[in-house]
Amino acid sequence: MDLTQFTIPTAEAVPGMTVRELFTECVKADVAGLPFRAANGKFVGKASIRHILKEVCIPQAMIEHARLLGDSIEALRLSLNKEQSLLDLTIDDYIVYNAAFISPASPLAKALATMESHKTTYVFVIDAEHKYYGTLGIVSLASCLLSRNP
């Protein structure tokens, strides 16, 4: 099975890209992250909305004790200035190097197993020559399977 039929074409994240640019591309394609292509042309990780927001906006203690938090934590609200500062950051310090990649020739079962092993709902489809085909997400996969089997 050619997995490219299930992929969502997206942009690639590159060094120097801002968080605003990343978020814009992710929202446009309805994906949670983009593959990160290093300056040497190789894909080495991903830029993830979730990871950036976790690293920049949430202290570790809050994550560990989330069940104890109330709904009105005024001191931790992001002001417009902090939001602007977040969007102006470059993604370079927030790359996740343990990203899930598969080749277009991989069987569907490998794509699903790779997602599970990386604890994610999407993988990037990239061939041996570092050509990027798109993002294969669990929802796009389900959608394609439904459309092929009405």
Side-chain angles (χ1 to χ4, degrees):
M1 172 181 295
D2 179 10
L3 292 180
T4 61
Q5 64 186 314
F6 299 109
T7 62
I8 301 167
T10 70
E12 302 167 1
V14 295
M17 180 181 233
T18 65
V19 170
R20 178 186 305 277
E21 292 167 327
L22 173 75
F23 285 13
T24 299
E25 292 297 328
C26 288
V27 168
K28 184 168 51 172
D30 196 25
V31 296
L34 300 177
F36 181 74
R37 187 187 293 264
N40 66 5
K42 295 187 178 181
F43 288 98
V44 298
K46 70 179 178 179
S48 158
I49 293 173
R50 177 178 174 256
H51 182 70
I52 290 171
L53 292 176
K54 179 184 78 155
E55 291 296 313
V56 176
C57 300
I58 308 171
Q60 185 62 34
M62 282 184 66
I63 295 169
E64 293 168 7
H65 303 290
R67 69 188 188 292
L68 302 174
L69 299 175
D71 291 333
S72 59
I73 309 172
E74 293 301 320
L76 294 174
R77 292 202 188 276
L78 284 179
S79 69
L80 285 177
N81 286 340
K82 287 183 182 177
E83 289 176 11
Q84 181 68 42
S85 296
L86 165 67
L87 295 172
D88 290 341
L89 291 172
T90 63
I91 63 170
D92 300 21
D93 292 333
Y94 305 102
I95 301 306
V96 177
Y97 290 98
N98 182 23
F101 301 112
I102 57 170
S103 78
S106 296
L108 181 58
K110 180 177 180 180
L112 295 170
T114 302
M115 286 182 206
E116 287 302 315
S117 72
H118 283 82
K119 297 181 180 6
T120 187
T121 58
Y122 61 98
V123 295
F124 303 115
V125 180
I126 299 171
D127 68 18
E129 289 77 40
H130 290 276
K131 179 179 179 191
Y132 172 57
Y133 292 88
T135 300
L136 172 62
I138 201 80
V139 175
S140 65
L141 176 61
S143 176
C144 191
L145 290 173
L146 286 170
S147 70
R148 289 173 29 151
N149 298 281

